[in-house]
Amino acid sequence: MEPAAARPRPLLTAASVLPQDADRAVLVARVHSPEWDGPCVAAVRGEHVVDLTALAPTVSDLMERDDAADIVREADGGHVWRLDDLLAAPAGRRDVAHLLAPVDLHVIKAAGVTFARSLLERVIEERTGGDPAQAARVRAHIGQLVGGTLDGIRPGSPEADKAKELLVAEGLWSPYLEVGIGPDPEVFTKAPVLSAVGTGADIGVLGASVWNNPEPEVVLVVDSQGRVRGATLGNDVNLRDIEGRSALLLSRAKDNNASCAIGPFIRLFQDDFGLDTVRGLDLDLRVDGTDGYVLHGSSSMREISRDVLDLVAATHGPHHQYPDGFVLFTGTLFAPTEDRQAPGAGFTHEYGDLVRISSPRLGALVNTVVASEQAAPWTFGVRALLRSLARRGLL
């Protein structure tokens, strides 16, 4: 990808990022405060954002409280910002208040290969060795051999075992099929604690990658006891060429500067928004290039092959605990195949692409694609957070 020409920042407003039913939603944000040179836990109440840090120093602390929803809805807070002002501010500037990713001490986990359609695309990446020029040919071959073999199969079931036998006989078995229809899901650590970027920020794609795409996903927010407390949106950027060379390059493909976006807000569970709502969510994706190119895509949680609670159980339990909680990307149905740069080359990002991931109940996560090497360096870690909270007398 070539560097993008100078571009204006995306124009974000409260109306463009809030859920459609924001008047009923219980929304948690994080705001960078220049006064404290650090983050504030905040409640989104209409077009205003209220500082709650004195009541919950971290989002992780807030998620541990059974009365979290009551606090976010009703508690008196400190400083109040206008949401439109936060959205208009340059992300990453330490001297200006702006929105951050709405999670802090949570470990950032991700489940991969949880949708049958994207499962086949992972196999295609592997078979092409990460070469986009070979994708169309391999896709047609695999489609002819596999057809609807994987449709409706429950991972780990007897039907999945039979499908595995067929695919092995055809010479098509791979590690991706093992985690896609086998008994155990793929769950990996997507990014370090505190490294995610929020809505309005740049999102990074490794400069060496020539075949990559966004991954629009629902992200579950889970407390230290394994309880799902809410949900938000995420972009689990996929470098198809690098991971396609070897599944062992997953970390290089997934964990780079600014390569994980989460936001805009955490929507806490309450009577009219819970796990069943999440199971039925539809996500929309739009990519706008600086050259006028537009890509539309979607992902539906109704087509996920493993229930979200099964993914949580594979992450947290007697085998592994998370004392500060974790967030879990649940995977995506989206796998773009349309050509962008050349016939047969498929889709890949260009620097300057504006990526908008949205869902009516969760709002919109909006980011601009840059090289990870050119994104704002990640400098605010756990030690910086502790120093900021100590200056406020909150430790």
Side-chain angles (χ1 to χ4, degrees), residues 159-179:
E159 293 77 15
D161 291 339
K162 291 179 182 178
K164 177 176 181 178
E165 292 176 6
L166 171 63
L167 293 165
V168 168
E170 294 287 353
L172 289 176
W173 194 245
S174 82
Y176 294 103
L177 286 161
E178 177 61 46
V179 298

Side-chain angles (χ1 to χ4, degrees), residues 88-395:
R93 284 267 302 274
R94 299 280 282 268
D95 61 333
V96 179
H98 60 271
L99 287 178
L100 302 167
V103 300
D104 42 41
L105 295 180
H106 299 83
V107 176
I108 303 174
K109 307 292 287 187
V113 202
T114 54
F115 290 81
R117 191 187 310 169
S118 61
L119 162 60
L120 291 179
E121 287 299 313
R122 300 293 84 77
V123 176
I124 290 163
E125 290 166 15
E126 182 183 50
R127 293 284 159 163
T128 63
D131 180 3
Q134 303 298 318
R137 176 185 58 80
V138 174
R139 186 176 294 112
H141 176 64
I142 289 178
Q144 183 179 26
L145 290 175
V146 177
T149 302
L150 303 180
D151 293 348
I153 285 183
R154 182 170 56 85
S157 67
E159 293 77 15
D161 291 339
K162 291 179 182 178
K164 177 176 181 178
E165 292 176 6
L166 171 63
L167 293 165
V168 168
E170 294 287 353
L172 289 176
W173 194 245
S174 82
Y176 294 103
L177 286 161
E178 177 61 46
V179 298
I181 66 174
D184 298 312
E186 176 190 27
V187 179
F188 58 93
T189 300
K190 163 64 181 176
V193 169
L194 286 172
S195 68
V197 299
T199 202
D202 290 338
I203 190 164
V205 171
L206 199 64
S209 175
V210 297
W211 188 22
N212 47 71
N213 61 250
E215 291 197 342
E217 304 191 22
V218 171
V219 180
L220 304 177
V221 182
V222 188
D223 69 11
S224 64
Q225 300 176 58
R227 300 179 301 175
V228 184
R229 304 303 306 274
T232 184
L233 296 170
N235 187 350
D236 180 21
V237 179
N238 181 22
L239 307 187
R240 304 188 67 178
D241 48 353
I242 292 176
E243 188 178 349
R245 283 162 44 204
S246 170
L248 297 180
L249 291 172
L250 179 66
S251 180
R252 180 163 176 76
K254 290 291 188 181
D255 183 8
N256 297 291
N257 193 36
S259 66
C260 176
I262 299 176
F265 317 111
I266 296 170
R267 182 164 185 169
L268 295 182
F269 286 173
Q270 55 178 349
D271 291 343
D272 63 344
F273 183 82
L275 279 171
D276 284 340
T277 313
V278 168
R279 291 181 176 110
L281 288 176
D282 292 321
L283 277 62
D284 291 319
L285 171 77
R286 179 179 171 121
V287 177
D288 287 274
T290 58
D291 57 355
Y293 173 87
V294 178
L295 172 73
H296 293 280
S298 63
S299 184
S300 175
M301 291 295 288
R302 290 187 294 275
E303 296 190 42
I304 199 168
S305 58
R306 299 179 192 268
D307 187 71
V308 291
L309 286 184
D310 291 336
L311 297 175
V312 172
T315 308
H316 174 278
H319 65 292
H320 206 315
Q321 297 78 46
Y322 295 85
D324 298 309
F326 63 97
V327 295
L328 180 62
F329 282 74
T330 54
T332 185
L333 177 66
F334 177 70
T337 59
E338 68 177 63
D339 295 334
R340 180 176 188 178
Q341 296 173 336
F347 171 86
T348 196
H349 271 306
E350 294 282 356
Y351 296 140
D353 281 352
L354 184 67
V355 182
R356 185 179 191 272
I357 296 169
S358 62
S359 185
R361 306 299 297 274
L362 294 175
L365 173 65
V366 184
N367 304 99
T368 302
V369 175
V370 300
S372 288
E373 295 87 341
Q374 300 301 317
W378 174 38
T379 59
F380 195 93
V382 175
R383 288 184 301 157
L385 174 63
L386 293 176
R387 285 194 291 265
S388 177
L389 294 176
R391 284 194 294 271
R392 289 176 259 183
L394 297 175
L395 289 183

Side-chain angles (χ1 to χ4, degrees), residues 4-43:
R7 65 195 186 279
R9 294 186 65 257
L11 178 61
L12 302 180
T13 65
S16 70
V17 303
L18 284 169
Q20 289 182 2
D21 58 343
D23 58 325
R24 300 199 305 273
V26 183
L27 301 173
V28 178
R30 283 174 71 241
V31 176
H32 171 74
S33 166
E35 178 184 0
W36 299 110
D37 193 24
C40 295
V41 180

Side-chain angles (χ1 to χ4, degrees), residues 41 55-66 68 104-106 229 324 389 394-395:
V41 180
L55 299 173
T58 67
V59 175
S60 177
D61 286 311
L62 180 64
M63 293 301 108
E64 295 297 314
R65 299 186 57 152
D66 290 335
D104 42 41
L105 295 180
H106 299 83
R229 304 303 306 274
D324 298 309
L389 294 176
L394 297 175
L395 289 183

